[in-house]
Amino acid sequence: MRWASALSGQQRTEQAVTEAVSAIRRDLAGARPDLVVAFASPHHLDAATRIPALIEAAVPGSLLVGCTGSGIIGAGHEVEGEAALSLTAASLPGVRLTPFHLDQRELPETADAEEWRDTIDVDPASRPHFLLLVDPMTIDAGALVAGLDAAYPAASKFGGLASGGPVPGANRLFLKSRSHRAGTVGVAFAGNLTVETIVAQGCRAIGKPMIATRCRDNVLLEVDGKPPLEVLRELFPTLPARDQELMRHSLFMGIEMRDSVEYREGELLVRNLVGMDAKTGSLALGALLHPMQVVQFMLRDARTAEEDLTRLLDKSSARVQPPSGALLFSCLGRGAHLFGRPDHDSDLFRSKVGAVPLGGFFCNGEIGPVGGATFLHGYTSAFALFREAAS
């Protein structure tokens, strides 16, 4: 297995493709690419319908998948607000690639596993992994992720929601020789490949883990027998000044998603607080709840996001050998906007994991697993790390 990633800042799409293809050919050192993952900034929207044909002509025999993004990641660098096109290519001996495109009317209406398997036409016995690129304005991304989880519960699912298009139909999704204006494109990987997913939610816990002793739908009524707002009022004066300030504008809730009353570090699903009732002391969250779930208040800022990603990358690099290649799906709210400089997450990845070919884009939402299930995220950096199964 060999991977390569290239980035071009050329304004003209034809020149950008030529420059990026030349770089990946050089880095693949004669290996034929089976897969090309392409991400293009909005500067290339006018020529987006030609991108698949340009890549197909330059790299015949490979499977193309990709989309547009407000920011582009390639060759281990992040470009925001400027013209960019990245190509990440892989030679994948012993790996079967199954591409698919779905629009909203093709999605099964329920999470029936058999119906979803028939729709995707991928055998769960092949132990697949799924790359998903979704236009959030033309398809129900939540239903897509839930349906695939029901049909392929053991499969890794990773990817992001296309960005850069201001109205429905403005984003582009690339698959094989076509450019689509709607739906989702994906690739199922099977065979001689493992995929490790890392979802850095950029938060740290404050206070202590609590049990949701009373809740209704997405409304948290009691934790450990007390209204959650009362817990917050008691917690606030115990925190340092920095955390008190963050609590005013960067407070979230972490939710344990496993079916057991057990707290696991790093496996809380981070969700927004969307409302509160001062009279009852309840909080409304951006997720459905059920009684006896573990919940914990969380804070987010640049330093916390860096510490969280550092911890996860250290944990990964200590456990396994470096990957052959990687993809990064990062939130539009991260990057230079959060850290004050470009390349923060890609530089940290390189320092912890090594000089691994890395491509990706800045998303309207990220797709990745937390606590054994797949979710749509915000403010995260979601990595997919590829290795040969034998290694």
Side-chain angles (χ1 to χ4, degrees):
M1 182 184 296
R2 293 184 67 93
W3 286 73
S5 184
L7 180 69
S8 175
Q10 295 284 346
Q11 295 271 353
R12 291 179 58 84
T13 304
E14 291 81 358
Q15 294 174 351
V17 170
T18 298
E19 184 175 68
V21 167
S22 177
I24 62 173
R25 281 177 175 162
R26 180 191 65 236
D27 292 346
L28 287 175
R32 186 183 70 85
D34 299 294
L35 175 72
V36 176
V37 186
F39 299 110
S41 71
H43 306 77
H44 295 287
L45 271 176
D46 288 345
T49 56
R50 303 201 305 274
I51 288 177
L54 290 169
I55 295 175
E56 185 177 53
V59 195
S62 62
L63 170 62
L64 169 68
V65 65
C67 68
T68 53
S70 287
I72 303 300
I73 303 167
H77 294 287
E78 304 165 17
V79 178
E80 301 170 75
E82 299 178 9
L85 181 139
S86 79
L87 299 181
T88 301
S91 175
L92 302 169
V95 177
R96 297 183 301 282
L97 302 173
T98 304
F100 55 89
H101 169 259
L102 299 172
D103 60 29
Q104 182 63 40
R105 69 179 182 275
E106 294 175 294
L107 293 188
E109 295 183 359
T110 69
D112 179 75
E114 286 301 324
E115 191 173 358
W116 276 91
R117 290 168 186 164
D118 290 343
T119 300
I120 301 296
D121 196 24
V122 173
D123 185 358
S126 67
R127 303 174 66 182
H129 310 278
F130 292 94
L131 165 60
L132 303 170
L133 303 173
V134 185
D135 176 45
M137 291 186 280
T138 60
I139 196 170
D140 186 341
L144 172 71
V145 169
L148 290 177
D149 258 10
Y152 305 94
S156 297
K157 303 156 197 86
F158 50 90
L161 309 188
S163 60
V167 296
N171 291 319
R172 297 291 188 275
L173 305 170
F174 310 130
L175 189 67
K176 299 193 290 187
S177 61
R178 293 194 60 188
S179 175
H180 300 272
R181 291 177 176 265
T184 181
V185 295
V187 176
F189 299 78
N192 184 33
L193 182 85
T194 64
V195 181
E196 177 190 5
T197 54
I198 296 174
V199 179
Q201 299 183 88
C203 283
R204 58 182 167 84
I206 56 171
K208 63 182 181 66
M210 304 167 290
I211 300 296
T213 46
R214 197 158 65 90
C215 57
R216 183 179 63 251
D217 298 327
N218 69 320
V219 178
L220 185 60
L221 300 168
E222 286 184 357
V223 289
D224 295 341
K226 302 168 79 172
L229 276 181
E230 181 180 333
V231 175
L232 269 180
R233 293 190 188 101
E234 294 173 353
L235 177 61
F236 184 83
T238 70
L239 298 175
R242 171 174 172 255
D243 287 357
Q244 289 180 348
E245 179 59 29
L246 286 174
M247 186 182 280
R248 300 177 193 277
H249 55 77
S250 298
L251 179 66
F252 300 84
M253 184 69 82
I255 307 168
E256 173 61 60
M257 300 308 297
R258 294 184 182 272
D259 293 329
S260 62
V261 183
E262 181 179 359
Y263 172 75
R264 298 167 186 259
E265 182 183 8
E267 290 193 348
L268 296 181
L269 176 68
V270 177
R271 283 298 183 253
N272 290 325
L273 304 181
V274 298
M276 64 178 65
D277 187 329
K279 184 176 181 180
T280 64
S282 62
L283 289 174
L285 311 182
L288 295 177
L289 299 163
H290 62 75
M292 305 309 290
Q293 273 183 306
V294 175
V295 296
Q296 190 166 14
F297 291 112
M298 316 284 283
L299 295 177
R300 174 184 285 128
D301 65 355
R303 191 168 85 187
T304 296
E306 179 172 335
E307 291 168 352
D308 180 44
L309 181 55
T310 298
R311 176 182 62 84
L312 292 170
L313 291 174
D314 281 340
K315 184 177 179 181
S316 171
S317 59
R319 186 172 61 244
V320 290
Q321 294 297 313
S324 298
L327 295 172
L328 167 56
F329 306 95
S330 190
C331 179
L332 289 167
R334 288 178 72 103
H337 173 78
L338 179 63
F339 299 107
R341 67 174 183 87
D343 291 349
H344 177 276
D345 285 357
S346 54
D347 282 350
L348 189 56
F349 177 83
R350 187 181 304 107
S351 71
K352 298 294 183 180
V353 180
V356 175
L358 175 68
F361 77 109
F362 286 88
C363 315
N364 264 325
E366 304 76 58
I367 299 170
V370 172
T374 311
F375 297 95
L376 299 175
H377 303 277
Y379 308 105
T380 67
S381 271
F383 292 82
L385 281 59
F386 300 86
R387 298 177 177 89
E388 290 188 35
S391 64

